[in-house]
Amino acid sequence: MPIYTQNRELSWLRFNERVLMEGSDENVPLFERLKFVAIFTSNLDEFFMIRVGGLTDLTLLKNPIVDQKSNMSVAEQLDAIFEAVGPLYQKRDELLTDIERRLRDYDIRRYGWSELSAEQEKYVTNYAARFLLPILSPQIIDPRHPFPHLESGQLYVAVHLKRKDEHIEALLHEHEAKALKKSDRIKLDKEIARAKNEGRKIKESAAEALIGIIPIPAEAPRVLRFSGNGLHYILIESVIEHYAPWVFSMYDVADSAIISVTRNGDIDPDAEFVEDVDYRRHMKRILKRRTFLGAVRLESQGPLSKLFVKYFSKHLDISRKQIFSFDSPIDFSYVYALENYLPDESKEILVNKPFTPQLSNAVNLSRSMFSQVRRQDIMLFYPYENMEPFLQLMKEASVNPHVVSIKITLYRLANTSRLAEYLIAAAENGIEVTVLLELRARFDEAANIGWAERFEEAGCNVLYGFEGYKVHSKICLITETTARGAEYITQLATGNYNEKTAALYSDLSLMTADQGIGADAASFFDNMALGNLEGEYDLLWVAPYSLKTKLLRKINEQIAVARDGGEGKLLFKMNSLTDLELIEKLAEASQAGVKIDLIIRGICCLLPGIEGYTENIRIVSIVGRYLEHARAYCFGEGGRDGIYLGSADLMTRNTEKRVEVAFPLLDETLRERVYHILQVQLQGSVKARTVGSEGELHPIDADTAPVDAQTRFAQMAIKRSEESRTNSTGEIPLERRGRLERLAQFFRNLFKRGDKALAPMALPSAEDKGVRVTTSQRPLDRHEVVLLDDKTELTEHYL
């Protein structure tokens, strides 16, 4: 085990603690801080379903598995997780108490039942009697009513019931007497009589206890709001718990609790797949099975009695370490809807100032996106720039009679997706549309199954990926027939084709007419259709076959530079780093003197700053308003030796068990822009934290004014968009008119001579230093000229 690595699960818990701590940041609006508490909670839910669920499965193996990065057994990892989670729940309780106390200053309040006024209690009672109690489905648990299946994530009210005096003897004899010896039955009868005379409760064991369960109905609103000014509300589970005695009116309620079970969600869809079964139908069955997997956690709002702990431990087959009690609500999904009801007078103070993703200043939507992409590579920076240029490109492609095919990989789609509608329209217009749709995108399986059915109905060719390999790449290829033959426009990205998350996630998207990249993309889709994962590509790095190999080769180049006395430099950005081979290579580079900066939002199994191993590695983690999702890999100072963007994190699952695509930035201007973006993020002292040699997170001390990278990018996007709008309506500056007039005359003379090709040549005037000639594989429309900020670029092309 290397000295410079740490356990993946514990690293993730540190990351999620960082998310929780964003809720304590005084610079974050108060209601946004409440959202971070909600995000922390949903993150933890998924962690237990997937990571704890997966580790629980590993405990069933005969041969023990040891984590290579921490030397911990599976059981040791689970124990460490359970020990670490308890304090996080306590921190969440303390933070929520503070946030809700402060929200009361803005007339926003969540009530417990004991806090209701007489008028509020009357309102709730009337509502419960008319709308809530009639739709409840309670159940007692006894020999004739066995322990029910508790669905994962579902809220329940659990009730410990006592039989009322008039029923107690008959019921006890009915359910207990058959299992007791005569002498024991006599003792029990005496105990019952003595208890009645003394007015004390009969002591029960967990096995003898009578338990009632009330599922919180999905049809009921989660939040019950009170009329009047401000936002006053009570959660529906608190109401149902209060009225449990009404529900179980023939019993006395001795104790109650709001609970929720988390079940293992780590299921392998390919493990039981039979080749002659439709894969989409198979995935539907798999989703049903997920709801019946074993329990990995029980949560309760408020303390659980010893009887409840023992009872649910037995029936859910979990240890007491897997039971967590706290004061906060179990499910925080209600928080997001509350924003719609915030008082107008305080909303501006409590939530982030709205930001609308801007139109990229490299794009003019009044012109054809096809012609604009042919002129120059266009990169969009989400969420600061909007997705509209790419959607416009797809809309044009769907009705373009010269487009013969559109091919795309899809991992997650928005519920309402313009992109999907354009793909469907293209198929209906006779264009060949191929959709490589990953049905196994975790927790989006059902949505993707629905989209697959719609695509097939429209006539799209739908592929589902490979056994054992998820298709996670982000690539779209448009093929058009022209007088020059087939030509490609390719779009590649670091994030999903999801219009909703494009406004929330920080990603990079490239549109290019480079024919080399297009040819690789065409080969990629051919290989995907043929089931070939070992395709060779000139420019693209494609996992699982070549991405890691080529990445290691580029790191080796920087090691060689450093060992030769040069300045080796690596700057990577990703969501997570767990691949041990790459971790060891980065440590080797550090030892060779390569300076390494890593921007890693989530899991990081590499420990920086360990002398003799990783002292040349700096790691920064950013958690802010937007989710940092882009993956970028820069080689050499300023990225001089190449910059690649891609869909892959440096996790073993991505490099070896998924189909991922990384792509080069061939345009120098775009390389400079990406490198600048990463440099700003490294300097972002407000939301960034540095990772210490033990995996701990430290604030960044700002030498100058504090930098919030996300805020700066938003401001830059607004400024560029405003300048672009101004320039698009203004006149051409006088100092440029003369050059453009001479250039136009040059082209008129050229075409008048009937020249068939434009080769590198002398400029119209040597004095026109603002005009330069370059070469490119990018085809241009006839008579088109690329106008840059301070120069005009002529591109060699065939007309």
Side-chain angles (χ1 to χ4, degrees), residues 169 173 183-198 200 202:
E169 290 185 60
H173 279 290
S183 58
D184 293 332
R185 193 160 59 244
I186 293 172
K187 291 180 181 178
L188 179 62
D189 290 339
K190 290 180 179 179
E191 174 69 15
I192 293 171
R194 204 163 32 245
K196 287 183 179 180
N197 292 333
E198 297 176 5
R200 57 185 176 82
I202 300 172

Side-chain angles (χ1 to χ4, degrees), residues 762-791:
L763 295 174
S765 170
E767 297 178 357
D768 287 324
K769 297 179 181 179
V771 182
R772 64 189 174 95
V773 176
T774 64
T775 61
S776 171
Q777 291 179 290
R778 189 180 301 108
L780 296 182
D781 288 344
R782 189 177 182 88
H783 303 297
E784 283 194 328
V785 178
V786 182
L787 300 181
L788 304 179
D789 289 340
D790 60 348
K791 54 188 173 290

Side-chain angles (χ1 to χ4, degrees), residues 17 20-21 40 80-94 324:
E17 182 178 10
L20 182 63
M21 289 303 97
F40 162 85
I81 289 169
F82 300 147
E83 183 178 351
V85 166
L88 293 180
Y89 278 126
Q90 184 176 349
K91 287 183 179 181
R92 184 186 66 177
D93 275 353
E94 294 169 355
F324 301 94

